[in-house]
Amino acid sequence: MNDLSRGIEWDRFHFKSALKSVLDSGFVEKGFNHAAFAAELASYLGVSKSIGVVSGIDALKLSSKAAGPQGRNLVLTAANAGGYTSTAAKRADFNTVFVDVEKGSLCMSAETIDAGLIDDVGVVLVTHLYGNFTDIQEIVEQCDERGIQVVEDCAESIGARRESRFAGSVGDFAAISFYLTKNLGAIGDGGAVVTTDAELTSKVRQLSQNGGDSKCSVELPGGLNSQLDAHQAALLTVRLPLLDSFDERRYEIVGRYAAAAVGTSITLMPADTDSHVAHLAVARSANRERAQQALRQANDMTDVYLPVPYHWQPGFGSSAVSLPITILAFREVFSLPCFPELMEEKILTVCDAIGTLA
Ligand SMILES: *Cc1c(COP(=O)(O)O)cnc(C)c1O
């Protein structure tokens, strides 16, 4: 489904020189490379600050912790986005309330969260799923009125934009992941919190340094040690200018599958908007079993990335809630290969196999 070796081969030279420059600088933690990448990323996304952390999940946790208004112990999130938001909420000492998603985008919307916005909700965590920049402006307005803060989960949507506004620049915070399979991947793990609010920035910074600004000072409870490694930052600085071309290639691949799927029994998740960066190529079928079987017979890869909705996972335990759209999607969605280095001949075989699904 994803051949990382091709990307890593390309990165070999850049990774080696990144590592060398970091070792030569003497600042193997934080230092110039760490700060330079943070500045580049903030400028690319059009936000005022970016803070490099260890992973996307740390970015979500630190954002939720810094966002939570006093005395409100609930986080509202979806149950179809990998469980990251729920895990982060738990680690930031919130309880999670799951809400349903919208039929077309499979993302939360102003409508799907409305009934859930009760007084105890402090934070709403919205995932821009599969690379889609979901329209969260309305959610932000709805939450602002109630003193609730919005964290965008942009782990799958870095680079997605609408009218030159980027995913990650609308809510109070955004969390980004540089895990190696993401659209902007490190060789290993990495993440960032971005925000436009200076006060929130310093809170996140303190929380990412065990809760304080200087050594052994603890101003905020519940911090952790989470810094993006300087060598990953140096590599990401080289890769960032290439992100748009990676995203375009992914988008093009999904477009090819979508064209092949016209008139068949499967549909591709909407890539008909240019505010989509196609992190995954996700198809839907009322008869997923049969569709996947046909693809496997044609020797093509297919997978179901998230087989269980998160309100049914024992670790999250909220199975009583009713999320009909989420559950239907869990039965119908499956993924097709989609990464920038995917070979042309492979795309053609996948398209041929899709064409047989009458
Ligand atoms: C990958 C991912 C994360 C977590 O990122 P890590 O860097 O792996 O911790 C969070 N949310 C979504 C939607 C993801 O796909």
Side-chain angles (χ1 to χ4, degrees):
M1 286 295 280
N2 196 339
D3 186 350
L4 287 168
S5 61
R6 284 182 221 147
I8 288 173
E9 199 42 54
W10 185 91
D11 277 333
R12 187 182 297 275
F13 166 77
H14 297 289
F15 194 60
K16 276 187 176 166
S17 53
L19 197 54
K20 182 171 183 313
S21 91
V22 167
L23 293 175
D24 288 351
S25 78
F27 288 96
V28 293
E29 192 172 313
K30 296 246 176 150
F32 170 77
N33 287 286
H34 181 91
F37 175 64
E40 292 290 332
L41 181 66
S43 136
Y44 172 82
L45 293 173
V47 295
S48 60
K49 282 282 176 224
S50 155
I51 299 156
V53 298
V54 161
S55 64
I57 192 97
D58 274 8
L60 283 167
K61 186 206 162 176
L62 291 161
S63 310
S64 317
K65 192 88 189 164
Q70 284 283 321
R72 302 195 189 178
N73 69 342
L74 294 184
V75 156
L76 225 60
T77 196
N80 67 340
Y84 302 102
T85 52
S86 337
T87 303
K90 189 88 190 156
R91 282 170 53 194
D93 297 325
F94 285 96
N95 291 324
T96 303
V97 176
F98 292 112
V99 293
D100 215 349
V101 290
E102 203 209 338
K103 212 158 68 186
S105 65
L106 298 185
C107 295
M108 293 156 72
S109 70
E111 208 176 306
T112 72
I113 70 170
D114 197 48
L117 292 175
I118 55 174
D119 286 348
D120 286 343
V121 174
V123 183
V124 171
L125 292 178
V126 183
T127 302
H128 298 289
L129 195 65
Y130 306 146
N132 178 31
F133 179 10
T134 195
D135 187 1
I136 64 158
Q137 185 59 42
E138 224 182 311
I139 296 182
V140 169
E141 284 161 20
Q142 210 179 12
C143 289
D144 273 355
E145 283 167 16
R146 297 170 168 85
I148 298 170
Q149 292 195 301
V150 177
V151 177
E152 298 175 66
D153 178 353
C154 295
E156 301 185 355
S157 64
I158 184 165
R161 66 198 82 168
R162 188 180 300 113
E163 288 156 15
S164 73
R165 186 120 198 231
F166 280 78
S169 68
V170 188
D172 297 283
F173 288 102
I176 297 167
S177 165
F178 307 118
Y179 177 67
L180 70 173
T181 63
K182 306 291 181 182
N183 293 36
L184 179 62
I187 297 198
D189 277 301
V193 175
V194 302
T195 175
T196 44
D197 184 317
E199 196 191 329
L200 296 179
T201 306
S202 70
K203 253 178 149 179
V204 171
R205 178 157 295 118
Q206 288 178 324
L207 287 168
S208 72
Q209 301 172 151
N210 293 319
D213 277 322
S214 54
K215 198 176 169 195
C216 298
S217 74
V218 178
E219 280 104 50
L220 297 172
L224 66 156
N225 175 17
S226 187
Q227 318 295 329
L228 177 66
D229 282 330
H231 58 278
Q232 300 290 10
L235 175 71
L236 289 165
T237 305
V238 179
R239 293 202 106 204
L240 181 60
L242 304 170
L243 173 63
D244 286 349
S245 65
F246 298 149
D247 283 349
E248 275 161 29
R249 175 67 177 151
R250 288 173 180 269
Y251 186 74
E252 183 201 333
I253 294 169
V254 176
R256 303 267 299 274
Y257 297 159
V262 172
T264 71
S265 57
I266 72 165
T267 50
L268 263 287
M269 286 292 293
D272 54 352
T273 133
D274 54 11
S275 49
H276 199 299
V277 290
H279 173 58
L280 297 176
V282 176
R284 288 188 77 153
S285 167
N287 193 343
R288 176 170 74 187
E289 212 33 60
R290 197 178 69 86
Q292 286 200 287
Q293 215 170 21
L295 284 156
R296 285 195 200 99
Q297 261 164 18
N299 204 16
D300 279 312
M301 298 285 196
T302 166
D303 202 356
V304 177
Y305 277 132
L306 309 169
V308 182
Y310 282 80
H311 62 305
W312 289 354
Q313 294 273 9
F316 295 128
S318 178
S319 56
V321 291
S322 159
L323 307 173
I325 295 169
T326 300
I327 289 167
L328 182 64
F330 264 93
R331 298 197 173 115
E332 294 189 350
V333 299
F334 58 102
S335 299
L336 300 165
C338 183
F339 55 98
E341 300 82 14
L342 188 62
M343 303 285 204
E344 181 60 25
E345 68 183 73
K346 187 76 202 170
I347 300 171
L348 289 172
T349 358
V350 176
C351 288
D352 285 348
I354 292 174
T356 66
L357 296 168

